[in-house]
Amino acid sequence: MKKIMSWLIILMTVGIALLAGTTQPAQAADDSLTRIKDKGTLVMGTSPDYPPYEFLVNRHGKDQVVGMDVDIAKKVAHDLGVKLVVKKMDFDSLLVALETNKVDMVLAGMSPTPARQKSIDFSKIYYRGGQSIVINKTDKGIYHNKNSFRNKAMGAQTGSIQYNLGKKQIAGSKMKGLAKISDLILALKSHKVEGVIMEEPSAQAYVDNDSNLAMLKNSQFNLGSGENNTAIGFRKGSPALVNAVNRSIDEITQKKLTQGYLKHAGTYMQTNTKNTGMWHYSSYFVKGVAYTLLITIISVFFGILLGVIFALMRLSKVKLLHALGVAYIEFVRGTPLMIQVMFVYFGIGLFVNIPALIAGIIAVSLNSAAYVAEIIRGGINSVAVGQKEAARSLGLSRQQTFKSVVFPQALKNIWPALGNEFISLIKESSIVSIIGVTDLIYQLKAVQTATYKGVMPIVVAMLIYFILTFSLSKLLNFYERKMKHDA
Amino acid sequence: MMPEMIKIENVTKKFGQTEVLKDLNGQVQKGQVICVIGPSGGGKSTFLRCLNLLEQPTSGKISFEGQELTSLSEAQINHLREKMGMVFQSFNLFSNMTVLDNVQLAPLKVKKLAAATAKKTAMQLLAQVGLADKAENYPSSLSGGQQQRVAIARALAMNPDVMLFDEPTSALDPEMVGEVLTVMQDLANQGMTMVVVTHEMGFAKSVANQVWFMDGGVFAEKGTPTQIFEHPQNERTKAFLAKILEA
């Protein structure tokens, strides 16, 4: 255990040092292009909730990212002679994913602003769209352009150009940032915001598919050089790769290929919205439940295993073990699970390439271990001291006493609390959706994006979560009663 | 001359700044029954718990069958405790085990006896304390008196050379005191060496070879039951007995 702890500490220190280091421009020779060719794959990072740029469709029971950006990426990969791999994640996480080598390029309707150009490289522009504002159709008479939104609440994707535009160019605007466009549309419909700023093609897609929405095409935003353009993002200091990709973009521009790509995307959107009943998307939810349960069950197993070890460390009379136990438990309980998930995926991922699912399971297990350790410690402390004394007075050793007398009784005391931890893990594991693990929450967002329906998928997911947790708590109660009966 | 089983020399015990035991001396011969009496808070239980090192004396020496205890390793202490059975005021039966498992746990785990042998001995002991029919019950379904009799059987299962009783009847309803004292009396009749901390003056009078009166962390007076109960010399002994008899 000591070994693992010191490894963790080393990893953390090196991780922090390296994260700080990556902000410096790379001095090494530019091997960006040869690296791609050597490994034979080009990994594209995207946030597939932005039709027609990128969105999810269900084909042959599997969800697949499609859209204009995917078609462009396919062409780029084809021209480079490598295979395209698409990685899904939240828009906020894309730049970190580039910096930490999780992806080779980002296509997500991203505009090459000066601020972004400081941290990543961009290809040539592949698409010029305007910025539009989506509103509720019933408000069509009230709002005409951006200036109508003085002192009104408006929404845009967190970390996006649109967010900054609204903030800077609408007097007294109250900008609300959400990670997903589908959530923003929901906020719009429930009048949490009065308008949502988004790219014109994307706005068009939503308006085409939802008769309650309208768009203001001429939003009158004062757009700087990069702000209505879309380009591909690369890791800083990879001119070789950028140049190679630019040749593909030149061809796309010359042949006006984007028109075809947009049309292609449109056909997917129609099949997507043909049947927006929740039953039609049941496979999404089933997959989400499977992943949520997988993550929870594995994490409970390792959480309990590690939790016992950390609890024993904390209860240990050996000062070093005790200190390490306390340090781990307090540190993990003192930091949000979300940050731990990001740290494992992006931070430790710098050294070892951990797939998102494994990273999620590791983070959730390590997190749960700290809570389980405290539950177990409490359970052990709650066993009457006389039980221990009686065992020791019979000549049982410390270990024998713990194994035969203290632990079985502690287990009975901690069972209900352990059950609660299991149940809350089902819910809390949803945080792994931020790194693109297709758990129930992630699938919920996918269904929202695919169907242009906001509330129904939420209701379905909520019911599923309830059924999971409720049946689990009934099951645990059954065993709890059984244990009581025995004694 | 009979060999000393336990020898106590200049034993003191401090909890923080409080001195609970002050320079105790005494000897227990094989086959003797010693009853330790005295007011609550006088240090009787602490003294008894020092004998099997559930409490570590702050200074002084305790020898058991010629072996000095305070310098032993943990493994040696475990081995020593096999030969010193202890019965607690609050029974302390293992609540996660049946009566039978309570009795045969230590023979199985510590003495590594074969399962059949351990069970046979355990059942004999349970029969001896009159509880063979409760072997499969859990402690929570037993009365206090029954639990304490099981606890005695559990201690006897290790075939100890001496039995330490820490106020074995204090937590019992009055009607259950008798059944436990009877078991203890039988033990004494069989020649078991016993150190009994008790408030049962009747038991002390009829069974003890020696009565040690303890107050304020010292043995204020030691003597035969007749000496202590009929002709107490120490003022504190007199005051204590007067109070007990009044009640």
Side-chain angles (χ1 to χ4, degrees):
Chain A
M1 213 50 237
K2 255 188 275 180
K3 245 187 198 157
I4 293 178
M5 279 302 295
S6 49
W7 265 109
L8 270 177
I9 290 163
I10 291 170
L11 274 177
M12 278 172 141
T13 338
V14 178
I16 289 159
L18 256 146
L19 281 174
T22 46
T23 52
Q24 312 296 331
Q27 299 295 326
D30 177 19
D31 63 344
S32 53
L33 184 59
T34 46
R35 215 174 58 84
I36 301 287
K37 292 206 164 163
D38 285 349
K39 69 180 172 124
T41 55
L42 181 64
V43 182
M44 158 191 179
T46 192
S47 166
D49 58 346
Y50 207 53
Y53 287 86
E54 47 266 322
F55 53 101
L56 289 172
V57 289
N58 190 341
R59 287 181 78 194
H60 317 299
K62 276 183 159 181
D63 48 336
Q64 191 182 358
V65 184
V66 294
M68 176 175 74
D69 282 350
V70 179
D71 286 345
I72 289 171
K74 268 186 194 149
K75 164 140 184 69
V76 167
H78 181 258
D79 291 352
L80 292 176
V82 294
K83 208 173 148 253
L84 178 71
V85 177
V86 181
K87 256 194 190 169
K88 303 166 273 186
M89 59 189 75
D90 272 7
F91 191 79
D92 311 4
S93 305
L94 288 171
L95 292 192
V96 193
L98 258 189
E99 283 171 3
T100 55
N101 286 335
K102 292 278 168 207
V103 299
D104 300 314
M105 62 176 185
V106 165
L107 284 90
M110 194 180 265
S111 305
T113 60
R116 280 189 188 135
Q117 276 168 351
K118 272 183 203 152
S119 53
I120 60 173
D121 285 351
F122 277 102
S123 71
K124 286 186 182 172
I125 310 296
Y126 62 80
Y127 187 77
R128 286 168 220 278
Q131 302 294 347
S132 303
I133 300 173
V134 176
I135 56 170
N136 287 307
K137 204 173 220 169
T138 46
D139 293 343
K140 228 176 170 178
I142 310 172
Y143 304 114
H144 307 288
N145 55 47
K146 73 167 170 82
N147 298 316
S148 325
F149 290 92
R150 223 170 252 268
N151 299 320
K152 301 274 187 190
M154 292 200 79
Q157 250 179 320
T158 317
S160 68
I161 298 296
Q162 290 79 14
Y163 187 88
N164 287 332
L165 278 179
K167 192 141 200 160
K168 283 185 190 147
Q169 296 192 19
I170 300 175
S173 72
K174 300 176 197 101
M175 290 304 297
K176 282 205 168 124
L178 293 174
K180 302 267 178 188
I181 292 281
S182 44
D183 288 341
L184 287 165
I185 295 294
L186 208 56
L188 175 68
K189 287 178 153 183
S190 54
H191 292 274
K192 301 273 182 306
V193 296
E194 296 303 317
V196 177
I197 313 171
M198 60 175 111
E199 291 258 1
E200 190 185 313
S202 192
Q204 190 70 56
Y206 273 93
V207 172
D208 287 348
N209 284 290
D210 192 328
S211 55
N212 295 319
L213 299 176
M215 71 189 272
L216 307 173
K217 259 194 189 157
N218 187 9
S219 58
Q220 297 196 358
F221 278 114
N222 181 13
L223 300 172
S225 54
E227 298 187 348
N228 53 350
N229 298 331
T230 315
I232 309 177
F234 298 93
R235 203 165 305 125
K236 193 80 188 160
S238 34
L241 180 59
V242 176
N243 287 336
V245 172
N246 277 343
R247 281 195 285 280
S248 303
I249 293 182
D250 284 340
E251 195 191 331
I252 290 170
T253 317
Q254 265 173 17
K255 295 186 182 166
K256 296 197 162 81
L257 293 178
T258 46
Q259 284 176 12
Y261 295 157
L262 280 173
K263 214 172 258 167
H264 186 213
T267 60
Y268 279 122
M269 286 163 70
Q270 273 160 22
T271 47
N272 246 359
T273 49
K274 218 184 276 169
N275 184 346
T276 59
M278 286 302 115
W279 189 247
H280 187 67
Y281 285 86
S282 56
S283 68
Y284 278 61
F285 289 110
V286 168
K287 184 178 174 192
V289 169
Y291 272 89
T292 291
L293 286 180
L294 179 76
I295 295 164
T296 308
I297 289 166
I298 297 181
S299 299
V300 162
F301 176 75
F302 284 107
I304 290 177
L305 201 71
L306 293 172
V308 172
I309 292 169
F310 283 120
L312 291 179
M313 280 172 75
R314 191 166 187 169
L315 288 166
S316 167
K317 289 203 164 56
V318 182
K319 281 222 170 74
L320 181 70
L321 288 181
H322 172 78
L324 286 173
V326 171
Y328 180 83
I329 291 167
E330 294 304 327
F331 185 78
V332 170
R333 294 203 309 164
T335 49
L337 176 56
M338 186 177 189
I339 292 188
Q340 292 161 4
V341 169
M342 294 200 291
F343 179 78
V344 172
Y345 187 53
F346 295 122
I348 297 178
L350 278 175
F351 311 98
V352 209
N353 191 14
I354 317 172
L357 176 65
I358 308 281
I361 288 173
I362 291 176
V364 175
S365 302
L366 289 175
N367 177 277
S368 178
Y371 289 90
V372 170
E374 283 299 88
I375 292 171
I376 290 176
R377 188 174 69 106
I380 289 171
N381 283 342
S382 75
V383 175
V385 67
Q387 296 281 314
K388 211 167 102 184
E389 286 182 347
R392 298 306 302 278
S393 77
L394 286 165
L396 271 76
S397 69
R398 249 175 238 282
Q399 287 88 336
Q400 286 171 331
T401 301
F402 183 78
K403 227 181 95 195
S404 301
V405 177
V406 177
F407 192 69
Q409 294 186 36
L411 192 64
K412 205 165 66 184
N413 295 341
I414 64 188
W415 183 256
L418 220 48
N420 283 340
E421 170 67 15
F422 196 171
I423 288 168
S424 67
L425 217 52
I426 289 186
K427 296 176 285 175
E428 277 170 17
S429 67
S430 62
I431 206 83
V432 298
S433 65
I434 57 166
I435 54 172
V437 178
T438 48
D439 80 325
L440 190 47
I441 288 285
Y442 190 93
Q443 295 298 87
L444 146 72
K445 308 260 179 188
V447 174
Q448 283 180 318
T449 311
T451 58
Y452 297 90
K453 278 187 176 173
V455 182
M456 243 353 251
I458 294 182
V459 173
V460 172
M462 199 157 73
L463 282 174
I464 293 176
Y465 271 116
F466 178 72
I467 291 167
L468 288 179
T469 54
F470 187 73
S471 37
L472 181 63
S473 87
K474 283 283 151 211
L475 191 72
L476 291 169
N477 280 345
F478 173 75
Y479 282 107
E480 198 180 322
R481 269 200 306 275
K482 220 177 148 198
M483 269 201 271
K484 272 213 187 96
H485 184 73
D486 282 347
Chain B
M1 194 176 143
M2 267 204 274
E4 287 154 5
M5 182 164 277
I6 303 174
K7 192 171 175 189
I8 302 128
E9 291 172 280
N10 311 107
V11 166
T12 63
K13 173 69 184 175
K14 281 184 183 176
F15 288 117
Q17 290 302 311
T18 323
E19 199 170 34
V20 197
L21 302 179
K22 297 171 191 164
D23 196 25
L24 297 183
N25 289 281
Q27 292 171 16
V28 181
Q29 313 290 338
K30 189 171 180 343
Q32 263 190 333
V33 176
I34 310 281
C35 280
V36 183
I37 62 167
S40 298
K44 304 187 298 291
S45 286
T46 309
F47 162 70
L48 195 72
R49 291 158 59 85
C50 278
L51 294 184
N52 68 350
L53 297 189
L54 278 185
E55 303 288 355
Q56 188 77 32
T58 309
S59 67
K61 282 186 188 172
I62 296 171
S63 314
F64 176 66
E65 296 178 341
Q67 197 174 23
E68 223 282 284
L69 304 187
T70 41
S71 57
L72 295 182
S73 73
E74 183 154 325
Q76 286 172 311
I77 291 173
N78 290 341
H79 190 59
L80 159 104
R81 285 179 177 142
E82 294 176 37
K83 295 189 222 161
M84 302 175 100
M86 189 165 200
V87 175
F88 299 84
Q89 180 178 347
S90 50
F91 330 133
N92 296 349
L93 291 184
F94 306 130
S95 60
N96 57 318
M97 298 176 200
T98 61
V99 164
L100 177 62
D101 285 338
N102 262 279
V103 178
Q104 65 181 359
L105 174 73
L108 287 172
K109 297 278 172 187
V110 182
K111 284 213 150 92
K112 314 276 184 208
L113 292 188
T117 321
K119 186 171 178 186
K120 197 175 152 214
T121 318
M123 288 309 295
Q124 275 169 4
L125 287 166
L126 285 174
Q128 187 183 328
V129 299
L131 288 170
D133 57 326
K134 300 285 185 189
E136 296 307 324
N137 286 39
Y138 279 88
S140 55
S141 67
L142 268 55
S143 75
Q146 290 171 329
Q147 289 193 50
Q148 195 61 300
R149 286 189 277 155
V150 173
I152 294 171
R154 178 175 70 176
L156 290 174
M158 292 302 279
N159 196 20
D161 293 345
V162 59
M163 287 283 283
L164 311 175
F165 291 86
D166 188 2
E167 301 197 22
T169 56
S170 298
L172 296 177
D173 292 334
E175 73 268 23
M176 293 173 185
V177 170
E179 59 188 77
V180 173
L181 291 181
T182 308
V183 169
M184 289 168 66
Q185 173 120 41
D186 289 347
L187 265 185
N189 293 344
Q190 289 163 25
M192 175 62 78
T193 313
M194 291 161 64
V195 182
V196 185
V197 171
T198 187
H199 289 293
E200 294 297 328
M201 297 305 145
F203 178 81
K205 247 183 230 176
S206 60
V207 182
N209 303 104
Q210 285 261 318
V211 176
W212 296 356
F213 173 72
M214 193 174 199
D215 188 19
V218 298
F219 292 127
E221 193 167 355
K222 289 180 187 169
T224 63
T226 323
Q227 283 169 340
I228 297 290
F229 290 110
E230 312 291 332
H231 313 290
Q233 303 298 310
N234 189 293
E235 286 309 315
R236 285 194 279 182
T237 319
K238 286 179 191 168
F240 173 73
L241 289 174
K243 221 179 211 174
I244 293 279
L245 296 176
E246 244 172 58

